[in-house]
Amino acid sequence: MEKKSIDWSNLGFGYIQTDKRYVSHYKDGAWDAGMLTEDANITINECACVLQYAQTVFEGLKAYTTQDGRIVTFRPDLNAQRLASSAQRLEMPVFPQERFIDAVEQTVKANAAYVPPYGSGATLYIRPYMFGSNAVIGVKPADEYQFRVFTTPVGPYFKGGAKPITLRVSDLDRAAPHGTGNIKAGLNYAMSLHTLMDAHRQGYDENMFLDPATHTKVEETGGANFLFITKDGKVVTPKSDSILPSITRRSLVHVAKAYLGLEVEERSVLFSEVKDFAECGLCGTAAVISPVGRIVDHDEVITFPSGMEQMGPTIQKLYDTLTGIQMGMIEAPEGWIHEIQ
Ligand code: PLP
Ligand code: COI
């Protein structure tokens, strides 16, 4: 199969329309058989629940070309499970896990010409999502839904790739205590847009959100979880009910312990501790592991000893091991790599 002529190594994290996408409709209490379509546009009623009351949830995963030329995805079963919990929280019907994986496979296969070649630094981002599609004007869940999957080739989420970024602590929250911070719902991202754009206008790359109840503990950014490295080489990652359970973070905890022999603490992390860490990174499907060089909280500026030029040594090891597993250079734990046949 001939690849599309795309300048893979200069791709940013943007939307490029690919050839086919998957769609399944839910009506009268059941999902239909689902199919691929070439139509990238959706026509829905003006009063659709998604448009009026934001009843929508999504996932994000990637397809990679391995060193030996296979196309693989990373732990798609966990994305299927997380989409199911997101859907349940917003009173939406669950799209069955086996069908989720089949839909991802069909969509990636149909767009194989857009899966970036091994070594290009780019990947095919896969976006499964669901929304309430019929008209509701009183506040209630929809009765009809669409589950869809599209793909788009992407490069690094943050401009500059492996260069450390600068965060500022946001005064606004993205999630409420006991709210929806732990699911992947569009509404959480709408909540973050104003403070994200404000951060950009002030010259920062992203926000660090603190816990919404007390503003003393580290939560996450708008699109990734945190990893910190202590001066004695331990990995510390925040635990909270209002952050997204990142699949990358859960995988890195295992990689740190089982592949690198590092000690890992998953616990509440006070913002007051942050100045004592040696390294900091953001982890997620889009972010992979992006190094953080500096965090600004009003007058307080924290610059990590790893500096603004390169990733710290432990974050680098985690990055190399994880991407080595994803690209097939390092043997993966059982069930982590899902080949698209
Ligand atoms: N936190 C938020 C708010 C996210 O949007 C994402 C992206 O999916 C993550 C964390 C990272 O999660 P994952 O590693 O499963 O992609
Ligand atoms: C991801 O990492 O998949 C994300 O969803 C982050 C962002 C693009 C929303």
Side-chain angles (χ1 to χ4, degrees):
M1 168 262 322
E2 204 180 314
K3 293 283 177 190
K4 296 284 168 181
S5 110
I6 292 176
D7 184 5
W8 307 107
S9 33
N10 287 313
L11 281 177
F13 197 89
Y15 173 75
I16 293 175
Q17 191 172 309
T18 56
D19 295 342
K20 301 262 176 82
R21 67 273 309 122
Y22 179 91
V23 57
S24 174
H25 294 86
Y26 181 91
K27 198 174 174 179
D28 301 326
W31 291 103
D32 71 10
M35 60 176 224
L36 291 171
T37 165
E38 284 178 7
D39 191 356
N41 295 308
I42 299 171
T43 303
I44 49 174
N45 187 269
E46 61 192 353
C47 203
C49 196
V50 58
L51 298 180
Q52 303 308 325
Y53 304 124
Q55 196 188 22
T56 177
V57 294
F58 67 100
E59 272 305 321
L61 67 164
K62 284 173 170 172
Y64 310 84
T65 305
T66 59
Q67 202 169 22
D68 58 3
R70 292 171 300 135
I71 296 177
V72 301
T73 56
F74 183 69
R75 310 187 78 180
D77 51 321
L78 298 188
N79 296 97
Q81 280 168 22
R82 194 170 60 188
L83 189 74
S85 26
S86 299
Q88 282 165 329
R89 179 68 175 79
L90 297 195
E91 288 291 332
M92 303 166 84
V94 165
F95 194 73
Q97 176 166 331
E98 335 65 77
R99 289 203 52 197
F100 176 101
I101 291 173
D102 173 59
V104 164
E105 281 183 2
Q106 286 192 43
T107 317
V108 172
K109 242 195 259 182
N111 297 297
Y114 293 91
V115 182
Y118 173 78
S120 64
T123 51
L124 187 73
Y125 186 72
I126 307 164
R127 174 55 64 87
Y129 62 111
M130 283 173 55
F131 55 90
S133 54
N134 66 300
V136 291
I137 191 69
V139 177
K140 63 168 192 155
D143 309 298
E144 295 174 16
Y145 294 86
Q146 291 190 28
F147 166 86
R148 288 179 165 258
V149 184
F150 71 78
T151 58
T152 180
V154 296
Y157 191 66
F158 294 105
K159 272 198 256 72
K163 272 260 183 201
I165 58 168
T166 301
L167 312 180
R168 65 102 188 247
V169 176
S170 176
D171 290 331
L172 301 178
D173 299 322
R174 75 181 283 279
H178 316 295
T180 53
N182 61 345
I183 61 160
K184 210 161 164 58
L187 60 93
N188 294 329
Y189 300 81
M191 286 277 277
S192 74
L193 293 177
H194 175 62
T195 189
L196 176 67
M197 294 318 288
D198 186 59
H200 287 172
R201 286 189 283 267
Q202 316 269 341
Y204 302 105
D205 298 294
E206 247 290 0
N207 285 299
M208 167 186 267
F209 291 103
L210 300 181
D211 74 292
T214 70
H215 272 221
T216 57
K217 289 176 265 181
V218 175
E219 293 256 285
E220 60 178 334
T221 66
N225 284 179
F226 276 101
L227 286 178
F228 297 101
I229 311 296
T230 63
K231 289 187 175 137
D232 58 357
K234 269 189 228 149
V235 178
V236 178
T237 183
K239 190 171 171 173
S240 160
D241 292 340
S242 41
I243 66 174
L244 193 76
S246 159
I247 294 163
T248 315
R249 186 245 303 158
R250 287 181 270 160
S251 304
L252 284 166
V253 164
H254 179 78
V255 164
K257 290 182 192 163
Y259 286 68
L260 302 175
L262 300 173
E263 217 177 295
V264 179
E265 293 177 3
E266 296 179 81
R267 59 166 172 86
S268 294
V269 177
L270 289 170
F271 181 70
S272 58
E273 292 176 65
V274 169
K275 62 179 184 335
D276 301 322
F277 291 122
E279 299 175 44
C280 174
L282 300 180
C283 64
T285 298
V288 193
I289 308 182
S290 302
V292 175
R294 187 171 290 146
I295 300 177
V296 178
D297 179 24
H298 300 273
D299 296 337
E300 184 183 6
V301 178
I302 300 168
T303 304
F304 293 100
S306 51
M308 295 303 293
E309 286 309 312
Q310 60 201 14
M311 273 194 200
T314 306
I315 297 268
Q316 182 78 55
K317 267 190 227 159
L318 286 164
Y319 177 92
D320 291 343
T321 314
L322 179 71
T323 52
I325 290 171
Q326 289 169 334
M327 310 274 175
M329 283 101 75
I330 298 176
E331 188 164 352
E334 178 76 30
W336 279 24
I337 298 299
H338 184 89
E339 188 168 341
I340 308 289
Q341 300 282 358

